[in-house]
Amino acid sequence: MKMTLSTIITLIIIGLLAGVLSGLVGVGGGIIMVPLFVLFLGLTQHNAQGLSLAVMLPPVTFLAVYNYHTSGTGGNIDWRVALTVSLLFIIGGFLGSKLALQIDQRTLKKIFGFFMLIVAIKLIFTK
């Protein structure tokens, strides 16, 4: 990807938006970055998904997690659950990426869009 001023500004906006939404409502990676990488940077679905995962590789959410852990309510994180899910997330991420790389671009976009649509409908229509 050519790093023009326009591209750098787009990356800054995507990074800030994903970070703010991650800290605010717990989303950012796939739900925000992947569509924006595809729409505004012209990446393929495979490239966008890989880049989204690469962005999350360093401890990008450390400060957000710290805020939740040290909040005045006595902490909002059950660390046993977090570590269990984290371990399985690593295994699932490995298996899921292997599967995604075997699926053609068009089908992968449809799967991604369908998943986002189902989540959106559930969030909108449940109490």
Side-chain angles (χ1 to χ4, degrees):
M1 174 182 345
K2 189 173 182 183
M3 294 300 281
T4 64
L5 180 59
S6 174
T7 301
I8 292 169
I9 290 170
T10 302
L11 292 173
I12 290 169
I13 292 168
I14 291 172
L16 287 173
L17 182 61
V20 168
L21 288 172
S22 177
L24 181 65
V25 293
V27 301
I31 292 177
I32 301 302
M33 287 190 286
V34 170
L36 295 180
F37 288 154
V38 170
L39 292 172
F40 295 110
L41 297 177
L43 297 181
T44 67
Q45 187 72 21
H46 287 111
N47 289 350
Q49 289 178 195
L51 183 56
S52 173
L53 291 168
V55 166
M56 294 183 285
L57 193 57
V60 295
T61 60
F62 177 78
L63 293 177
V65 171
Y66 179 77
N67 283 335
Y68 280 100
H69 177 69
T70 60
S71 72
T73 62
N76 294 304
I77 299 170
D78 182 331
W79 288 103
R80 292 172 298 160
V81 172
L83 292 172
T84 301
V85 173
S86 178
L87 175 63
L88 294 166
F89 184 82
I90 291 167
I91 295 166
F94 175 77
L95 296 173
S97 66
K98 288 285 197 185
L99 179 61
L101 290 169
Q102 301 302 313
I103 298 172
D104 71 273
Q105 188 77 352
R106 188 173 175 179
T107 303
L108 191 58
K109 275 187 175 181
K110 287 180 181 181
I111 292 168
F112 183 81
F114 181 75
F115 176 74
M116 287 184 52
L117 184 61
I118 295 300
V119 170
I121 290 169
K122 182 154 178 67
L123 288 172
I124 291 168
F125 293 108
T126 58
K127 290 182 180 185

